Amino acid sequence: MEALVEIMATGVCHTDAVMLEGQNPKASFPAVLGHEGAGIVRAIGAEVRELDVGDHVIPLYGSECRTCPNCTSGRTNLCWGIRETREKGLMPDGGRRFSVGDEAIYHFMGTSTFSNFTVVPEIALAKIRADAPLDKVCLLGCGVTTGIGAAINDGGVRPGDTVAVFGLGAVGLSAIQGARIAGAAKIIGVDINNQKKAIAKTLGATDFVNPTKIDGRTVECILDMTSGGVDIALECTGNIDVMRQSLECCHVGWGTCVLMGVEGRDQELSLPPVLVRYGRTLKGSYFGGVRGRSGLPKYVDWYMDGKIEIDALISHVMPIEEINTAFDLMRSGESIRTVITF
Ligand code: APR
Ligand code: ZN
């Protein structure tokens, strides 16, 4: 039920850095990291039903088995069909497909895209059209889909809405695009890095707020700009103080705050219940609420049709040999996304 995939390109994302730095308590080492890739199927197992050699695919860290209780509920994209083994760095049969000499190497997020070749279960591969450039659409394997999907699916942005996006990395900039596609009238980008302003505006932001230039009075500022709060707030920093501010910026009665950022180890969010009792909604989003196998082909079409932008999010491209430079650029805040090519 697995396919051998030749990875042609992969993005470098924070979750890889978190793992690399040993901050993930569940981590199994040694492992092949990487989860934002795209490639071509080179071989298939006997039980593979819907994929063929030569198919172009995006590996999914969130599988779509279509049979587990979550999948059949029709209410979530969180498939737990192979979750247990995936979290242990194993294939569904409990085995591993990487080795160095006699030593077996663990998988990471079920995808392990920092490798020329990887093995992925069929239920965790989205087949995509063959004319899409893999060195661009690889970013649909994580950050871009997460941001766009969160705005459209989880935020439910509607035409005319006012939206605030906190944190303008690849995820937040994509959330801006999602809000724009959904027809938002006002999109406020918030980032402590002024250099994000230009690209945010290119992708659809109508306003930009830098908290460091207003003594951190972000909430007051956004309430002033919006006659009482935004319809939808999209949080893409992983900072728990920003998460709370995002909720506070939501309009009483209906404002919805969607959390996408991943908090630091053991961090907790605290808030006075009145913030939600007065009708605000606080929710989270995983992979933009998108079911990978069913949903990603549409995102690829959107890219090919020019409806969404990916190229502008790729600040650096380098070969796998320089991948540590990609991590350095990410930590320094210099890169939006680095794409590694093989
Ligand atoms: N207020 C506003 N913006 C902030 C703040 C803050 N207090 N702290 C950081 N930022 C900005 C950074 O300047 C940066 O532009 O948030 C942005 C985060 O972007 P990236 O680090 O590139 O992260 P990204 O890949 O977009 O992921 C965002 O989602 O997947 C998770 O773990 C990931 O938590 C991270 C989040
Ligand atoms: Zn499932």
Side-chain angles (χ1 to χ4, degrees), residues 148 152 174 176-178 180-183 203 298-310:
I148 296 177
I152 296 174
S174 299
I176 287 177
Q177 299 197 60
R180 188 198 70 220
I181 293 167
L203 294 173
K298 181 180 77 180
Y299 282 74
V300 174
D301 286 343
W302 282 357
Y303 170 71
M304 297 300 283
D305 294 344
K307 185 170 172 180
I308 61 172
E309 179 68 62
I310 297 181

Side-chain angles (χ1 to χ4, degrees), residues 1-5 30 32 45 85 89-101 103-108 110-112 115 117-121:
M1 299 166 73
E2 298 166 6
L4 174 71
V5 178
V32 176
T85 47
L90 305 171
M91 283 288 107
D93 68 355
R96 288 174 270 178
R97 307 290 178 263
F98 296 108
S99 59
V100 175
E103 186 183 14
I105 309 292
Y106 287 97
H107 298 254
F108 175 61
T111 50
S112 295
S115 170
F117 290 89
T118 186
V119 174
V120 182

Side-chain angles (χ1 to χ4, degrees), residues 14 167-171 191-193 196 236-238 242 260-262 337:
H14 285 85
L168 306 179
V171 175
D191 201 296
I192 51 178
N193 179 349
K196 305 288 175 139
C236 317
T237 67
V242 177
M260 274 165 273
V262 178
R337 268 295 196 268

Side-chain angles (χ1 to χ4, degrees), residues 186 188 217-229 249:
K186 192 178 183 76
I188 307 167
R217 294 172 55 254
T218 316
V219 178
E220 290 99 307
C221 175
I222 290 183
L223 294 185
D224 282 350
M225 290 167 80
T226 57
S227 60
C249 286

